[in-house]
Amino acid sequence: MPKQLDIQDYIKGLQDSNIAVLSRAITLIESTKPEHQALASQLIDTILPLTGKSIRIGITGVPGVGKSTFIESFGMYCINEGKKVAVLAIDPSSSLSKGSILGDKTRMEQLSVHPNAFIRPSAASGSLGGVTYKTREATLLCEAAGFDTIIIETVGVGQSETEVSQITDFFLLLMLAGAGDELQGIKRGIMEMADGLIITKADGNNVTKAKSARTEYARALHFLPPQPSGWIPEVLVCSSYENSGIQEVVQMIEKFVQHQNINGFFQQKRKEQNHHAFQRLLQEYLRRFFLLKPDIKETINKLESAVVSGETSPYSAVQQLAAFIQ
């Protein structure tokens, strides 16, 4: 059994960019044990001065768009430019077995073995928004360990796939050309949040389709409300297989960061994200606190049975549970 680490062990390991300690630190913050949560809270508070110096990039896209392949090409390009890259990959959890495949490392063969890269797959475990409840804290740990480019790969695009924009600086949406009606294949809300769109797999016979899709999306973006910062999202094409277009993606993100820093929106967004994280965690902890109240579980089971049998309405049942708060 590995020895139990104390707070000083974690801090020194993170400052030394020790990957094993970083992995254990993320496991610690993901734990639901009360003693682990107390240590995790202390750890996050202690490392805050070491954080905030990275670029946090959220990446999402429809199934089959090639997120993992793109991330490997993008990550290797950044590493060759002298960066240290961490990938936090969120895998969907089964609603039946509660398990998750966590196979992202096997799809990023070069990145997973590079000394300047770190890949951490985590199960969504029922969390909405495409990220887990502890993804933000995992990002802070990676920053404390010296990673200056943090990539968060979400479970896939959908109506609830907006939480990632609340923990990243740049939200990148990957799209696939030739897979049906491009403009109907994605939710409008996701496009409004995207800071950049990439048409992937622009190689071989798909080049013409990719360029056509790029034109369609660029035209569609003009009908969406402008971003408060004045940034106009760009639409690019790339081929991860041929490593073409990756440099243009990196340059787009650098231009975005420069633009946001000039007008003050970069730090303002991070402040808003801190507030959002507080509100989200407060709601989660209040829910857990409520469910741990004496006799509440038995009452919930009785009311659930009454709702299922039609003896009472869901609204009335919730109102009865609310009496426990008063």
Side-chain angles (χ1 to χ4, degrees):
M1 292 288 292
K3 79 159 191 169
Q4 186 72 30
L5 301 182
D6 60 24
I7 188 69
Q8 295 304 323
D9 292 327
Y10 281 114
I11 295 171
K12 184 180 186 306
L14 292 174
Q15 291 178 324
D16 293 341
S17 299
N18 188 312
I19 297 301
V21 173
L22 173 58
S23 297
R24 292 183 64 175
I26 295 177
T27 300
L28 176 72
I29 65 169
E30 291 179 341
S31 173
T32 57
K33 293 183 178 181
E35 62 271 22
H36 290 170
Q37 290 181 346
L39 182 59
S41 178
Q42 182 185 1
L43 176 60
I44 294 298
D45 282 343
T46 305
I47 65 164
L48 280 180
L50 304 175
T51 66
K53 301 178 179 65
S54 75
I55 300 300
R56 307 165 186 172
I57 304 169
I59 296 181
T60 190
V62 295
V65 76
K67 291 191 293 294
S68 296
T69 307
F70 172 82
I71 289 173
E72 174 156 69
S73 296
F74 178 85
M76 290 303 301
Y77 182 93
C78 292
I79 287 174
N80 291 333
E81 292 292 305
K83 304 291 185 180
K84 294 186 66 177
V85 178
V87 180
L88 301 176
I90 316 302
D91 273 12
S93 301
S94 168
S95 59
L96 298 178
S97 67
K98 310 302 181 185
S100 183
I101 296 175
L102 304 178
D104 290 274
K105 281 193 174 183
T106 64
R107 296 195 295 268
M108 304 179 193
E109 296 180 357
Q110 296 181 59
L111 205 59
S112 63
V113 297
H114 200 284
N116 287 332
F118 171 73
I119 301 176
R120 171 72 180 214
S122 297
S125 301
S127 300
L128 294 179
V131 296
T132 75
Y133 284 116
K134 299 300 178 66
T135 302
R136 180 180 178 275
E137 285 70 24
T139 299
L140 297 177
L141 292 172
C142 289
E143 289 180 342
F147 290 93
D148 44 36
T149 303
I150 316 292
I151 300 172
I152 300 173
E153 178 194 3
T154 71
V155 296
V157 74
Q159 284 181 307
S160 64
E161 195 75 355
T162 56
E163 191 66 28
V164 67
S165 68
Q166 295 292 343
I167 59 174
T168 56
D169 304 312
F170 189 92
F171 187 25
L172 187 61
L173 176 61
L174 305 186
M175 295 300 300
L176 188 63
D181 188 339
E182 274 74 17
L183 299 184
Q184 294 296 326
I186 195 72
K187 297 294 182 182
R188 175 186 168 116
I190 302 298
M191 287 188 64
E192 289 178 345
M193 292 186 176
D195 299 305
L197 276 71
I198 306 297
I199 312 300
T200 62
K201 302 184 180 181
D203 44 50
N205 297 328
N206 208 39
V207 173
T208 302
K209 291 180 181 179
K211 291 182 178 179
S212 176
R214 173 187 179 181
T215 302
E216 289 189 41
Y217 279 115
R219 187 183 300 118
L221 286 174
H222 286 290
F223 294 99
L224 298 179
Q227 294 193 5
S229 67
W231 170 258
I232 301 175
E234 298 182 14
V235 185
L236 305 177
V237 298
C238 82
S239 168
S240 302
Y241 177 74
E242 296 179 348
N243 279 320
S244 62
I246 301 298
Q247 180 179 0
E248 287 74 12
V249 177
V250 173
Q251 291 172 345
M252 173 179 63
I253 296 175
E254 291 175 345
K255 183 165 66 173
F256 170 85
V257 173
Q258 182 180 20
H259 176 274
Q260 299 296 84
N261 275 321
I262 290 175
N263 58 28
F265 271 86
F266 191 87
Q267 289 302 324
Q268 180 59 33
K269 183 178 181 181
R270 287 202 171 180
K271 290 179 180 179
E272 293 173 354
Q273 290 175 347
N274 290 340
H275 180 258
H276 175 80
F278 170 77
Q279 293 290 339
R280 188 173 189 249
L281 287 172
L282 176 63
Q283 293 176 20
E284 172 63 16
Y285 276 92
L286 288 176
R287 183 186 70 85
R288 291 184 182 180
F289 176 78
F290 176 73
L291 294 177
L292 289 174
K293 288 177 70 68
D295 302 327
I296 193 66
K297 190 170 184 179
E298 181 181 351
T299 303
I300 289 177
N301 290 335
K302 289 180 179 179
L303 288 172
E304 279 183 335
S305 298
V307 169
V308 172
S309 64
E311 298 174 20
T312 188
S313 69
Y315 178 81
S316 176
V318 171
Q319 288 298 309
Q320 293 180 55
L321 286 172
F324 282 78
I325 304 177
Q326 302 172 359

